[in-house]
Amino acid sequence: MPKPTDIRPPFTRETAIAKVRAAEDAWNTRDPNRVALAYSVNSQWRNRDSFVQGRDQIVAFLTGKWDAEQEYRLAKQLWAFTDNRIAVRFQYEYRIASGKWFRAYGNENWEFDDDGLMRRREASINDYAIDESDRKFHWPLGARPANDAGLEELVK
C-alpha cells in the first residue's frame, strides 16, 4: 500500500485514482494513528457537523468513530481532480452496538500540500438505515479486494 507521501500533486487521472484507493485502504484498516499520517500536522476537517484540526484531533475523532461504527467497510470513487485537489464519492456500511446496520453515502473534497499530505478535508455524509440482508459490502474486514467492483457497479 502506498505511503501518504508517495502520491503527490500535481495529480493525473491515474495518480488521483491511486490516491483515492490508498485513502480507502487506509480507512478500512480502522487504525486512527495510521490514517492520521496521511494528513498534514495542521490539517483542517469538516466532517458532518464536526470541525477537527490537526493530527491529534483526527486520531481522537477516528477513535470515537470506529468505536461506534463497528464492522466498518468503505468504498471510494474518484469524482473529479485538479492539480492539488480531489473530489470523491463514497459509501460505507457499519453496525452500531444495538445491532442496527447503516449505509452512509457521501462526498469529500480534499486539498493536498506539495508533500502529498491532505491539508483540508470537507465531508458531507448521510446515513441510511438498512437491514443486514441489504448489505453490499461483504469482504473480510480490512482492504476491499482488488477484484471487487466497488462503487462502479452499485446503483444506489
Side-chain angles (χ1 to χ4, degrees):
M1 179 181 319
K3 295 178 189 168
T5 56
D6 288 347
I7 307 168
R8 300 178 181 199
F11 297 115
T12 64
R13 179 167 178 73
E14 293 73 27
T15 61
I17 289 170
K19 192 74 159 176
V20 170
R21 184 59 193 245
E24 175 190 310
D25 288 347
W27 278 65
N28 274 322
T29 69
R30 296 170 325 281
D31 179 344
N33 292 297
R34 178 177 173 187
V35 171
L37 293 176
Y39 299 90
S40 65
V41 295
N42 59 351
S43 185
Q44 296 180 9
W45 284 20
R46 182 192 55 77
N47 193 90
R48 300 176 194 222
D49 61 351
S50 297
F51 294 85
V52 178
Q53 183 162 352
R55 285 187 181 156
D56 290 342
Q57 288 184 14
I58 290 169
V59 169
F61 176 86
L62 292 175
T63 298
K65 172 184 178 61
W66 289 320
D67 283 346
E69 296 177 356
Q70 302 164 11
E71 299 289 327
Y72 178 93
R73 290 171 177 84
L74 165 73
K76 292 183 182 278
Q77 179 185 28
L78 176 68
W79 190 257
F81 71 96
T82 63
D83 288 345
N84 72 332
R85 293 182 177 160
I86 294 176
V88 299
R89 76 180 188 102
F90 63 87
Q91 292 180 26
Y92 65 88
E93 294 175 345
Y94 64 93
R95 178 181 51 79
I96 59 174
S98 69
K100 184 72 180 153
W101 282 90
F102 292 87
R103 183 174 306 114
Y105 297 87
N107 299 290
E108 293 176 320
N109 296 313
W110 302 341
E111 182 179 76
F112 295 88
D113 65 18
D114 291 340
D115 293 323
L117 296 171
M118 195 182 302
R119 64 179 167 210
R120 185 167 188 87
R121 175 182 174 267
E122 302 261 343
S124 297
I125 307 167
N126 298 298
D127 297 292
Y128 181 73
I130 61 172
D131 290 329
E132 184 173 2
S133 62
D134 292 329
R135 291 180 51 220
K136 299 176 184 178
F137 304 146
H138 298 282
W139 63 82
L141 288 175
R144 180 171 53 88
N147 63 348
D148 184 272
L151 297 184
E152 297 288 335
E153 300 290 324
L154 299 177
V155 175
K156 74 174 199 182

